[in-house]
Amino acid sequence: MVLEMTRIVRSATSLQSGSTMKRLIKFLSTCLLVLPHLTLVQGDITDGNAEHLKREHSLIKPYQGIGTSPSSQWDFWGSTLVTSQYVRLTPDEKSKQGSIWNTVPCFQKDWEMHVQFKVHGSGKKNLHGDGIAIWYTKERLHPGPVFSSNSNFHGLAIFIDTYPNDEASDRSFPYISAMVNNGTQPYDHGKDGRNSELGGCSAEIRNKDHDTYLAIRYSKGRLTVMVDVDDKNEWKECIDIGGVRLPTGYYFGASAATGDLSDHHDIISMKMYQLMVEHTTEEDSLDWTKIEPSVSLLKSPKDNIDDPTGNFRSTPLTGWKVFLLLLCALLGIVVCAVVGAVVFQKRQERNKRFY
């Protein structure tokens, strides 16, 4: 593309403007066709290839290997009820807490977790709560105030929050958000985690007649969260953040809680897939179990407290934003080149008249 643009600029000094503009239009049309493919490939979510399904980290019907025996791959706590059709973390009753945790630590550097879940109950609008959290953390089976789990956790949490505690917020609930913690920052329930949120989106997930899904991908330092809640069999982007560092050797889990308001919080499946990604020699030589959970942002999570939307506008750009930025930059360069070429050509013609 750079070579083609160079040829266009050079030709502007010798070709008539009409011919040059035709070549410019053709070139820009090619860019419009190619750039979306270049920017969207990275965000693709796996189609659930069974070849890469890691069963030791997956919770699948008929939910075998759940319990307290030494050979169990999943353990549960609190109000959690395991049936043949779902794992109910909480019933639609007040003040319930429940969780289920993988007992096998994950040593995959790049992975993707697909969660099929259902949140339903008798509560009407804004009269239900509190929600579900999906975890990838150092601690497991550690009861606490954050959707029945530990507040000062080490690792990653994805919150599916169904009740707005902060009346000043203009978010639409249910709301999905992400947080990375190294154990030093507690989750603020009163502000719905707004001061520590890395990104988020609203999603209507309650009382659906169809299946609802959440996909969490971590690969090459990038965290992507996608949702499928409209029964269209397609993923919609919710969160896309670069600069994320997560260690290996942590545990997957899910938890939920109810307070004065309640809901059924059900997990139907959690399927973890290994992503086949090449790493540099330097990356492979690292001890990934010693990595400190962190996110390289242009501003601190504390700076997000006064942002009513709770979103980091300074986080790395998503695929479409990169595409639009590149397109605008490309158009600017081409326009400047054409204007410069026309001005140069007119000066040449004017100089010729003096000789």
Side-chain angles (χ1 to χ4, degrees):
M1 288 186 180
V2 175
L3 292 176
E4 177 65 17
M5 188 166 62
T6 302
R7 286 196 296 268
I8 291 174
V9 173
R10 288 177 177 175
S11 65
T13 61
S14 58
L15 296 177
Q16 293 182 354
S17 59
S19 176
T20 302
M21 288 305 298
K22 289 180 180 179
R23 295 190 64 188
L24 284 173
I25 293 172
K26 182 179 180 181
F27 170 63
L28 291 175
S29 300
T30 304
C31 292
L32 288 171
L33 292 173
V34 173
L35 281 175
H37 296 284
L38 294 177
T39 56
L40 294 179
V41 168
Q42 188 179 13
D44 286 345
I45 294 294
T46 182
D47 59 357
N49 190 341
E51 179 182 355
H52 300 135
L53 177 68
K54 308 301 290 185
R55 294 190 175 275
E56 65 271 25
H57 302 302
S58 299
L59 182 67
I60 308 173
K61 297 178 186 179
Y63 309 122
Q64 296 177 346
I66 299 179
T68 58
S69 67
S71 60
S72 298
Q73 294 181 339
W74 292 84
D75 200 358
F76 59 92
W77 169 86
S79 61
T80 302
L81 174 66
V82 181
T83 74
S84 60
Q85 297 300 314
Y86 53 80
V87 175
R88 176 155 292 168
L89 301 175
T90 73
D92 189 2
E93 300 174 9
K94 293 182 178 181
S95 303
K96 296 295 182 179
Q97 294 187 341
S99 64
I100 188 164
W101 288 89
N102 193 198
T103 62
V104 184
C106 175
F107 291 99
Q108 303 296 331
K109 299 173 184 175
D110 304 88
W111 49 264
E112 186 169 303
M113 175 65 79
H114 290 195
V115 182
Q116 181 183 356
F117 65 98
K118 189 173 182 66
V119 179
H120 57 109
S122 58
K124 303 301 181 182
K125 184 177 182 181
N126 293 334
L127 294 176
H128 47 78
D130 284 330
I132 297 176
I134 308 299
W135 305 91
Y136 175 69
T137 59
K138 182 179 181 180
E139 309 85 4
R140 53 177 296 274
L141 287 174
H142 195 308
V146 182
F147 300 93
S148 86
S149 195
N150 183 26
S151 178
N152 292 80
F153 61 92
H154 292 75
L156 169 69
I158 306 296
F159 302 114
I160 308 173
D161 195 347
T162 58
Y163 182 76
N165 293 289
D166 186 2
E167 296 180 357
S169 174
D170 59 355
R171 294 174 178 172
S172 176
F173 281 72
Y175 189 82
I176 300 172
S177 63
M179 177 180 177
V180 171
N181 199 359
N182 61 1
T184 62
Q185 187 172 8
Y187 176 85
D188 188 347
H189 240 310
K191 291 187 177 295
D192 301 312
R194 191 177 64 195
N195 61 324
S196 55
E197 175 191 327
L198 301 177
C201 68
S202 300
E204 293 295 334
I205 50 91
R206 287 192 73 252
N207 289 336
K208 296 292 186 180
D209 294 330
H210 52 265
D211 295 336
T212 50
Y213 297 87
L214 180 77
I216 308 166
R217 165 182 282 220
Y218 177 67
S219 179
K220 299 284 286 184
R222 192 163 201 87
L223 174 67
T224 306
V225 178
M226 308 285 279
V227 294
D228 179 7
V229 298
D230 298 322
D231 199 25
K232 295 182 179 180
N233 196 29
E234 61 183 27
W235 294 110
K236 295 177 62 176
E237 182 181 297
C238 177
I239 303 169
D240 186 19
I241 306 168
V244 179
R245 288 174 59 83
L246 294 174
T248 59
Y250 280 17
Y251 298 90
F252 290 106
S255 67
T258 63
D260 292 335
L261 302 175
S262 61
D263 255 337
H264 294 298
H265 296 103
D266 300 340
I267 298 292
I268 290 87
S269 68
M270 296 177 67
K271 298 179 180 180
M272 189 277 206
Y273 298 91
Q274 177 185 4
L275 300 179
M276 309 306 293
V277 178
E278 292 186 3
H279 287 269
T280 64
T281 304
E282 182 180 0
E283 290 173 333
D284 286 331
S285 64
L286 292 175
D287 185 352
W288 284 61
T289 62
K290 304 297 184 183
I291 292 176
E292 187 80 359
S294 63
V295 182
S296 300
L297 296 170
L298 298 182
K299 65 176 181 177
S300 167
K302 294 181 180 179
D303 297 334
N304 201 38
I305 295 175
D306 297 327
D307 180 3
T309 64
N311 290 319
F312 282 103
R313 302 306 180 189
S314 56
T315 52
L317 298 176
T318 60
W320 276 111
K321 290 180 181 178
V322 172
F323 163 63
L324 292 175
L325 183 61
L326 289 174
L327 181 59
C328 291
L330 184 63
L331 287 172
I333 292 172
V334 171
V335 169
C336 290
V338 172
V339 171
V342 171
V343 171
F344 178 78
Q345 188 175 11
K346 287 184 177 180
R347 286 183 178 178
Q348 291 289 92
E349 293 175 353
R350 186 168 56 193
N351 291 337
K352 288 180 181 179
R353 288 198 295 268
F354 287 104
Y355 291 100

